[in-house]
């Protein structure tokens, strides 16, 4: 991963910003296209006043998991823990919602607006053990930028 170059591309996407939908879609596409082990990239946000997440923009295969109750799966757990969740091997997790047999690992980083956890970026990978601190740092940087446009 060439983090400085990716950060520059992220900054350019935010500079061009016309609509939130477009910006979030461009972020998903950028990450999926440029990081070989990112096989699915998506944003989930709190669904109104409900205790559930709703899928927003994503890049990768269609998923049936467009609504995820708080507490369920990796995503739902991050909605309540407010913490990054790095799963290097999904077979080690009991509370996991599978999006297909190909997915071997997952990373979820929460997005905060005024200290409130309002959503997250979710990455699925077909590799076992692919994520490093660099992924967390890049994704935290992106989540921080996203929080500024929400
Ligand atoms: N695996 C997630 C569900 C969402 S998909 O990865 C797109 C989870 O356990 O919450």
């Amino acid at each position: 991963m060439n983090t400085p170059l990716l950060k520059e591309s992220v900054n350019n996407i935010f500079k061009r910003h016309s609509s939130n939908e477009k910006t979030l879609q461009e972020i998903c596409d950028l990450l999926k296209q440029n990081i070989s082990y990112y096989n699915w990239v998506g944003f989930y946000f709190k669904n109104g006043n409900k205790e559930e997440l709703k899928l927003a923009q994503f890049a990768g295969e269609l998923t049936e998991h467009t609504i995820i109750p708080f507490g369920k799966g990796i995503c739902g757990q991050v909605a309540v823990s407010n913490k990054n969740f790095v799963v290097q091997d999904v077979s080690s997790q009991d509370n996991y919602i599978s999006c297909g047999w190909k997915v071997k690992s997952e990373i979820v980083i929460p997005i905060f607006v005024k200290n409130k956890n309002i959503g997250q970026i979710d990455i699925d990978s077909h590799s076992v053990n692919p994520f490093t601190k660099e992924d967390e740092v890049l994704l935290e940087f992106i989540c921080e930028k996203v929080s500024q446009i929400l």
Side-chain angles (χ1 to χ4, degrees), residues 40 44 63 65 68 72-76 96-97 99 106 122 124:
W40 190 94
Y44 282 94
T63 173
H65 304 295
I68 299 178
K72 276 204 71 183
I74 308 305
C75 297
Y96 167 68
I97 302 166
C99 281
E106 177 162 5
D122 175 25
D124 285 348

Side-chain angles (χ1 to χ4, degrees), residues 20-121:
N20 289 356
E21 290 73 19
K22 219 172 159 206
T23 295
L24 295 178
Q25 187 63 55
E26 284 178 15
I27 295 292
C28 292
D29 294 338
L30 175 82
L31 294 178
K32 183 169 183 297
Q33 280 161 22
N34 288 280
I35 304 178
S36 60
Y37 52 93
Y38 284 17
N39 299 105
W40 190 94
V41 179
F43 287 97
Y44 282 94
F45 292 103
K46 186 176 185 338
N47 191 14
N49 289 327
K50 296 183 187 154
E51 296 285 286
E52 64 185 29
L53 295 163
K54 187 176 179 196
L55 180 62
Q57 287 69 30
F58 67 96
E61 283 179 18
L62 279 175
T63 173
E64 61 190 27
H65 304 295
T66 54
I67 298 284
I68 299 178
F70 279 16
K72 276 204 71 183
I74 308 305
C75 297
Q77 290 179 75
V78 170
V80 290
S81 74
N82 306 323
K83 291 202 171 79
N84 296 352
F85 200 163
V86 185
V87 179
Q88 300 285 12
D89 181 353
V90 293
S91 71
S92 69
Q93 297 293 313
D94 293 330
N95 189 358
Y96 167 68
I97 302 166
S98 174
C99 281
W101 61 270
K102 280 191 214 158
V103 180
K104 301 287 193 305
S105 57
E106 177 162 5
I107 182 169
V108 178
I109 309 290
I111 300 169
F112 299 97
V113 173
K114 291 183 191 148
N115 289 324
K116 276 207 157 153
N117 182 350
I118 54 93
Q120 53 192 238
I121 191 166

